[in-house]
Amino acid sequence: MRRLNLLAALLLTGAASACAPNPIIARDPVPAPGPEVGYVCDSRPLVLNAFDTKCDPVAREPQVVLRSKG
């Protein structure tokens, strides 16, 4: 009886894997922001180790690279 249950379980798992040939890939529907966008966030603690966070988008200043000969 145990061997019959094992055989039935193997057949069921084989049939379930045959139904889904393509793997499911999770993708974020919101694209990541570009390098010119930054965020300023403010968090405050709540009860039971929870936090309330508010983030505002701000424009970043371009980075300046100074080069000198010497």
Side-chain angles (χ1 to χ4, degrees):
M1 186 68 182
R2 180 178 288 194
R3 200 173 282 223
L4 182 64
N5 287 341
L6 179 63
L7 182 62
L10 289 174
L11 287 175
L12 286 175
T13 56
S17 64
C19 293
N22 296 328
I24 298 171
I25 299 172
R27 292 189 174 92
D28 193 2
V30 179
E36 68 276 354
V37 178
Y39 289 93
V40 175
C41 296
D42 181 35
S43 298
R44 61 185 181 115
L46 297 175
V47 294
L48 296 176
N49 292 332
F51 283 90
D52 181 27
T53 303
K54 295 180 182 177
C55 294
D56 297 322
V58 294
R60 287 187 181 172
E61 296 180 7
Q63 293 180 352
V64 177
V65 178
L66 298 176
R67 295 184 185 183
S68 63
K69 293 183 179 180

